[in-house]
Amino acid sequence: KSFNNKIFHANLEVAINYNNITGKVSSILHFEPKEWYVYIGTPSNRGYVSVIGITLNSYFMVGNKIEPMPDLPGPVAEAFGKPSSRDESLTTSAKGFAVGASLEYGAGGTMGWDFFEAYGDLSIIVGFDVMMQKYGSSYPCGLKGWYLRGQLYAYASGSVGIRGSFKIKKFDCKV
């Protein structure tokens, strides 16, 4: 807090690490005469909770200084050829609000016997991001410079197989 400059800035970080539960979120509150924002996580530093292989991460931002819309998560972007048609120059210091969350799950394992084993893995990602930002009245879209956009995504990948040896021949069959 700076009384002479009329600035209030606070950082808060909460973390959990108990049995099979881990998590962390960073929050920032910033208020001054010409700039204010509240972050509960950000697209670049999401809060998360992870329980037995399932991870939920999220963020919420509001104010006149918010981060741009995040890119799609790595595996999702790779599956769609890394699409990006964003003009980030419009959003680097936009006013508005943003919220996003995703759920991720990954598992894999093997089960074996003397001469062969079965194996498999599974990866799932489901999420969304929504932003309403004021770009200015000269921006050609939106209502008086306010523009709402978002993205919704889902991704699943998995494989199963068997590997081992029969007599002196090794094999590995994966689907």
Side-chain angles (χ1 to χ4, degrees), residues 15-19 21-23:
I16 185 171
N17 188 356
Y18 180 75
N19 289 337
I21 303 171
T22 59

Side-chain angles (χ1 to χ4, degrees), residues 20 28 32 48-49 52 59-60 65 67-68 75 85 107-109 112 118 125 128 133 142 150 154 162 164:
N20 291 329
I28 298 174
E32 61 181 278
Y48 73 92
V49 173
I52 57 172
Y59 64 90
F60 174 82
K65 182 182 175 185
E67 288 185 16
S85 59
I125 303 172
F128 73 93
Q133 294 177 300
I162 57 172

Side-chain angles (χ1 to χ4, degrees), residues 31 48 60 99-100 140 146:
F31 299 96
Y48 73 92
F60 174 82
V99 63
W146 286 94

Side-chain angles (χ1 to χ4, degrees), residues 41-171:
T42 62
S44 62
N45 186 23
R46 295 174 179 236
Y48 73 92
V49 173
S50 184
V51 180
I52 57 172
I54 301 171
T55 301
L56 172 65
N57 65 59
S58 64
Y59 64 90
F60 174 82
M61 301 181 299
V62 64
N64 60 12
K65 182 182 175 185
I66 63 174
E67 288 185 16
M69 173 85 73
D71 289 330
L72 292 169
V76 180
E78 300 260 337
F80 290 98
K82 297 187 178 184
S84 180
S85 59
R86 299 183 181 125
D87 184 354
E88 297 300 342
S89 66
L90 295 170
T91 64
T92 54
S93 61
K95 301 173 182 177
F97 77 89
V99 63
S102 70
L103 182 73
E104 299 180 22
Y105 176 74
T110 62
M111 180 174 31
W113 292 270
D114 290 340
F115 60 94
F116 79 96
E117 69 179 1
Y119 62 93
D121 62 70
L122 175 66
S123 177
I124 298 172
I125 303 172
V126 178
F128 73 93
D129 297 288
V130 176
M131 294 189 141
M132 184 161 193
Q133 294 177 300
K134 184 168 178 91
Y135 297 133
S137 57
S138 64
Y139 192 68
C141 295
L143 179 63
K144 295 184 180 182
W146 286 94
Y147 188 68
L148 178 67
R149 62 189 181 137
Q151 58 190 18
L152 178 66
Y153 50 88
Y155 170 85
S157 172
S159 65
V160 294
I162 57 172
R163 64 180 160 230
S165 60
F166 184 68
K167 296 188 181 183
I168 57 171
K169 180 92 170 161
K170 290 189 176 191
F171 61 90

